[in-house]
Amino acid sequence: MTAHPITSWTHGGADALGVPRVDFSTNSNACGPCPQALAAVQAADATLYPDPLYTALRQRLAAFHRVAPERVVLAGSASEFIFRITAWAWQQGVRRVQLPAHHYGDNARATQAWGLQPAADGAGALVWACEPSSPLGQAHRPWCLDAAHTVVLDRAYAPLRLSGAPSLSDAQLDRVWQLFTPNKALGLTGVRAAYVIAPAGASTREQGHIEAAVANLNLIAPSWPLGAHGVALLQAWVMPEVQAWLLACLPTLRDWKARQIDMLQDLGWTCLPSEANFFCAQPPQPLELSALRAEYGIKLRDCASFGLPGWVRLGVLGPQAQELLACGLQENKLIPAQLENSQ
């Protein structure tokens, strides 16, 4: 029997076994949750509908990014917007899509749902980019920034960049749709909320096209894409004290990342370079992820769904979690005996 698509979703975090004891499978900020953002979410009044136009929230986000409020599009989550803008692209006659070599599964799911065909180049296509990328945490390439196509840049991990620099200048960023999901950076992934900054038109004609696109994207959105808790999260996101907390997290995450990579390399793993708070690694021999999850409560993110079979993605966690991972790998005989005996 063919499985219903919902049974084939692959994601990090909680699963059929519940919440992992130690969860390396998500890219959430391990220093979180952000105290100020958590307090704001907990104080949200869930007895009332939000403003259906989200007037104050759009203004705050626009001021934070120094853009006009009309360029702000709200979304229930990154996944929700991925499907929405794919539907919009289909309405506009777009029939081709360009995906990164390794990408988030919902990009491919939306592509399949709407029947878009892979494009060798970006011309006339819906083009997806993510930087730092997932699962690799690396720079996106190549870029297609002419006006012949629609580029959507997922910037979920930009606030968690630990090294390197963005590939695009501010002027270049103004030419793409920028998708933000602050819940990862704030360590509150259970609160679903996202927003998009629409491009700035380079001409009156292009500006008119973008304004029409924003209007259509809002038209095909469900009523109240954000509930009270999502609104509270995004309002907190732009607070100076929240941004200061995030900035203070980065040195700690850098230290933890270096320690985590050293630990895995000592156990014979190969770790790929990454600029974010996560990275991909390959064990010295095939790894039984299900055994590690069931017996030790430790979850890693299988990268097969990203097109990297045999590799796993690990979010950066603190020293205690890293020690539990090392113990689980060794006790379950998941590293070669000669390496285990040398520890």
Side-chain angles (χ1 to χ4, degrees):
M1 179 181 296
T2 301
H4 189 280
I6 195 170
T7 65
S8 63
W9 287 352
T10 302
H11 207 281
D15 51 32
L17 297 177
V19 177
R21 176 189 178 197
V22 182
D23 191 1
F24 288 90
S25 69
T26 78
N27 298 335
S28 182
N29 182 349
C31 294
C34 171
Q36 299 92 333
L38 178 60
V41 170
Q42 291 174 330
D45 188 351
T47 69
L48 302 175
Y49 285 110
D51 167 16
L53 298 179
Y54 301 100
T55 307
L57 177 59
R58 291 178 190 274
Q59 291 173 345
R60 290 189 186 186
L61 292 170
F64 181 70
H65 288 279
R66 299 181 180 180
V67 301
E70 293 76 18
R71 288 177 61 187
V72 178
V73 179
L74 297 173
S77 66
S79 296
E80 186 271 315
F81 186 78
I82 287 169
F83 278 86
R84 198 196 321 170
I85 198 169
T86 303
W88 169 81
W90 178 270
Q91 289 180 337
Q92 304 307 304
V94 174
R95 297 296 182 266
R96 304 197 309 153
V97 65
Q98 188 178 65
L99 297 169
H102 309 292
H103 54 270
Y104 180 44
D106 277 6
N107 299 109
R109 284 170 49 78
T111 294
Q112 181 180 7
W114 285 96
L116 302 184
Q117 299 301 311
D121 58 69
L126 176 62
V127 179
W128 289 103
C130 182
E131 186 177 277
S133 65
S134 181
L136 295 176
Q138 298 174 1
H140 174 82
R141 58 178 62 89
W143 288 97
C144 303
L145 297 178
D146 60 63
H149 49 265
T150 300
V151 179
V152 184
L153 171 59
D154 186 344
R155 301 192 68 189
Y157 309 113
L160 292 167
R161 176 183 292 279
L162 303 182
S163 61
S167 297
L168 302 185
S169 66
D170 289 344
Q172 290 172 319
L173 286 171
D174 261 347
R175 298 169 63 183
V176 304
W177 295 81
Q178 301 175 64
L179 174 59
F180 294 89
T181 45
N183 57 357
K184 298 178 181 66
L186 299 178
L188 290 165
T189 54
V191 183
R192 312 303 293 161
Y195 65 96
V196 179
I197 303 299
S203 64
T204 301
R205 180 178 179 181
E206 187 179 350
Q207 183 61 40
H209 174 73
I210 293 169
E211 290 174 357
V214 169
N216 285 334
L217 285 166
N218 287 328
L219 181 64
I220 62 177
S223 299
W224 294 287
L226 292 177
H229 299 95
V231 171
L233 182 84
L234 295 186
Q235 287 176 333
W237 170 242
V238 302
M239 294 167 57
E241 55 266 42
V242 169
Q243 291 297 312
W245 173 87
L246 176 60
L247 187 63
C249 291
L250 301 185
T252 299
L253 291 172
R254 290 188 189 100
D255 290 342
W256 288 354
K257 181 180 179 181
R259 173 179 174 144
Q260 190 165 311
I261 289 174
D262 287 346
M263 181 269 289
L264 289 173
Q265 289 179 334
D266 287 345
L267 298 179
W269 288 53
T270 300
C271 298
L272 295 180
S274 164
E275 298 177 352
N277 67 318
F278 56 89
F279 57 92
C280 287
Q282 186 179 51
Q285 62 187 35
L287 188 63
E288 289 291 339
L289 295 180
S290 59
L292 194 65
R293 173 71 177 94
E295 297 178 25
Y296 297 93
I298 299 173
K299 186 172 182 179
L300 311 182
R301 179 69 154 87
D302 188 347
C303 284
S305 65
F306 291 114
L308 289 170
W311 293 77
V312 296
R313 189 192 68 193
L314 299 98
V316 170
L317 297 185
Q320 183 177 5
Q322 294 175 22
E323 291 169 7
L324 291 171
L325 175 61
C327 290
L329 292 175
Q330 295 178 82
E331 291 177 9
N332 207 29
K333 306 299 182 184
L334 296 176
I335 63 170
Q338 65 270 24
L339 289 175
E340 180 180 349
N341 292 335
S342 70
Q343 300 305 307

